[in-house]
Amino acid sequence: MCQAAFPDLTPDQIVTVGDSPNDASLFAEFPLSVGVANLAPYLDRLSQPPLSLSTA
């Protein structure tokens, strides 16, 4: 996905931020992922949750 736009970066050098369950693919592809607080009620539905979750 992002490799085409940033060919010199590896997935572990990119931080992704998601705010809804449809961002699960980002959380799966990029190890440094953050979910915003409103994602908390959906964590049990995600095939891959984010590494971190914001509190606000």
Side-chain angles (χ1 to χ4, degrees):
M1 176 190 299
C2 289
Q3 290 301 123
F6 303 101
D8 295 332
L9 298 177
T10 62
D12 63 335
Q13 295 174 302
I14 298 170
V15 175
T16 58
V17 179
D19 65 349
S20 66
N22 70 335
D23 294 318
S25 62
L26 287 176
F27 305 147
E29 186 172 352
F30 299 97
L32 300 176
S33 57
V34 178
V36 296
N38 67 301
L39 186 63
Y42 306 102
L43 289 177
D44 62 338
R45 299 183 207 171
L46 297 176
S47 57
Q48 176 65 49
L51 177 66
S52 298
L53 189 67
S54 71
T55 58

